[in-house]
Amino acid sequence: PSPSPQRSPMAATPAYAPMPMPAAPAPAPQVISVVRTERDTRISTQLTEEVAALRGMLEGQMAQLAWSDTQRSKPLRAQFTRDLLASGYSIALAREITARLPDDFTPAQALTWIAGVISKNLRCVEGQDDLVARGGVFALVGPTGVGKTTTVAKLAARCAVRFGASSLALLTTDGYRVGAHDQLRIYAKILGVAVHTVSSSDDLVQALDSLRNKHLVLIDTVGMGQRDTRVPEQTALLSHPRVRRVLVLNATAQAETLEEVVEAYGDAAEDRARTPGAAIVTKLDETARPGQVLDAVIRNRLVLQYVANGQRVPEDLHTANAGYLVHRSLRTAPTTASSSPFALRLDEFGMLMGAVAGAAHA
């Protein structure tokens, strides 16, 4: 047999050899650390939110159980808690008041006791100590539409009747609204008083220096929403030591809105602890639940100077009377038998209390 042909070494080698794929570079340690940190943070945040939601759910259920127990064991306390909430008072204030309600009272005694407690905490000035009688420099502040200019006119008319027009001066910082000056000047012309316009702190200082002999100086300010970024600028303009700010509150505003207004326009809490801020409530005749504005006055330690219940100048301005205001707020509450769409049924108060407790930790 013929010998098999020997293969050449070159014949066993392919025409080209495939290039090896380069290995992927290992991720840098710091990159791995960042990825793990972001993942751990995301998981931790998710767990925290789930635990908070679970806690809110449990506390809401516990609040409903507690409310059901209160209805069974202390029905009088539960009844007046419902009445206070329906009157517009906050849950915090209603809870604090009814927690001290004696258990052996009749409903009539309980109503008298609760009205007395609220009246005692609603601080109103005495007639001889209101701002017109005392005199000084007062700037009426508050959001647009609360009736500051009309209230200034009412106060000015009171002062002119009691002390004469020569004892009164009117200032305005309102250079934004069209016709704002005209409205105030019409009132001033009727009273025979001049209106001075101030647009800066220097203008205010000069005006007050020239009006030192006046018994009462009233400042009508620009109306701005409580969330307006210019509110601090106006506060700085009125920072003169002689100027006392008076917060004008709209009785028809929502409770949450009133709280924002007090926070934005009111004096700081530490200042109110030393010298409580003054307030005037307007549009009392238009509100269905005056308890909301009274609650804001009580909880924020404001001293109520006047209440306004109409547009007539100067008739529709009255010295605040705590007993009357509280009585009116309690008798306007919609009952559970009311046809009002805002009246809560008995079984719905438990859900309300549970929702409030759950929202506190949501």
Side-chain angles (χ1 to χ4, degrees), residues 77-91 93-99 111 113-115 118 289 291-292 295 326 329-330 333 349:
R77 182 178 299 180
Q79 172 190 335
F80 281 98
T81 299
R82 294 193 302 266
D83 291 345
L84 288 173
L85 295 180
S87 299
Y89 291 95
S90 64
I91 292 180
L93 186 63
R95 186 189 300 118
E96 185 174 352
I97 292 174
T98 56
L111 178 59
W113 183 87
I114 287 176
I118 300 176
R289 297 203 297 174
Q292 294 186 124
D295 181 273
V326 173
S329 71
L330 294 177
F349 277 94

Side-chain angles (χ1 to χ4, degrees), residues 99-134:
R100 297 178 172 85
L101 179 65
D103 296 327
D104 57 346
F105 274 6
T106 64
Q109 290 175 324
L111 178 59
T112 301
W113 183 87
I114 287 176
V117 170
I118 300 176
S119 300
K120 184 178 180 180
N121 286 276
L122 180 61
R123 292 186 286 183
C124 302
V125 298
E126 300 293 336
Q128 67 275 12
D129 196 39
D130 60 13
L131 62 86
V132 171
R134 189 172 59 201

